[in-house]
Amino acid sequence: QVQLVESGGGLVQAGGSLRLSCAASGRTFGSGTMGWFRQAPGKDREFVAAISWGAGITDYADSVKGRFTISRNNVQNTVYLQMNSLKPEDTAVYYCAADRGRPGPHPQRYDYWGQGTQVTVSS
């Protein structure tokens, strides 16, 4: 019912920046939460950031706080993740996720997922 498509991933040098986009289509909702998760090779899926669709309240993992910024454009049904000061340990597949409620940092609580976009940070 809800489709999420990520874009903007790529290869970047340590210290560089990338901006990820997640476009939502289908039966979108006017409230709830959109978030970003990442999964590095051999690792579990990890919470990165989330934003409430209505009020725009944000939440960040400690590992990215101060470096990443999540934002959204409600009219265009798009959420963004601005990633600055990238580190090699940020290398992962980044996934956009959405839920009608307030799932917080728990990936199992999100109902909708994108296919992911690869972010590779070289040293």
Side-chain angles (χ1 to χ4, degrees), residues 53-113:
W53 197 246
I57 300 170
T58 59
D59 189 26
Y60 297 93
D62 288 341
S63 59
V64 306
K65 196 171 298 181
R67 299 188 298 123
F68 291 9
T69 302
I70 188 171
S71 61
R72 84 271 193 263
N73 185 315
N74 297 62
V75 175
Q76 297 184 357
N77 294 317
T78 303
V79 65
Y80 305 94
L81 185 68
Q82 178 66 46
M83 305 185 295
N84 298 325
S85 301
L86 283 162
K87 306 174 181 179
E89 49 263 46
D90 294 318
T91 295
V93 176
Y94 282 71
Y95 297 91
C96 178
D99 194 83
R100 293 184 179 88
R102 294 177 292 178
H106 311 290
Q108 67 272 21
R109 297 182 182 177
Y110 286 77
D111 287 335
Y112 305 100
W113 292 86

Side-chain angles (χ1 to χ4, degrees), residues 14-30:
S17 298
L18 283 174
R19 184 176 176 86
L20 306 183
S21 298
C22 174
S25 61
R27 297 289 185 180
T28 57
F29 39 85

Side-chain angles (χ1 to χ4, degrees), residues 29-44:
F29 39 85
S31 62
T33 304
M34 296 191 73
W36 289 96
F37 292 79
R38 65 188 183 187
Q39 190 163 18
K43 304 285 188 178
D44 291 333

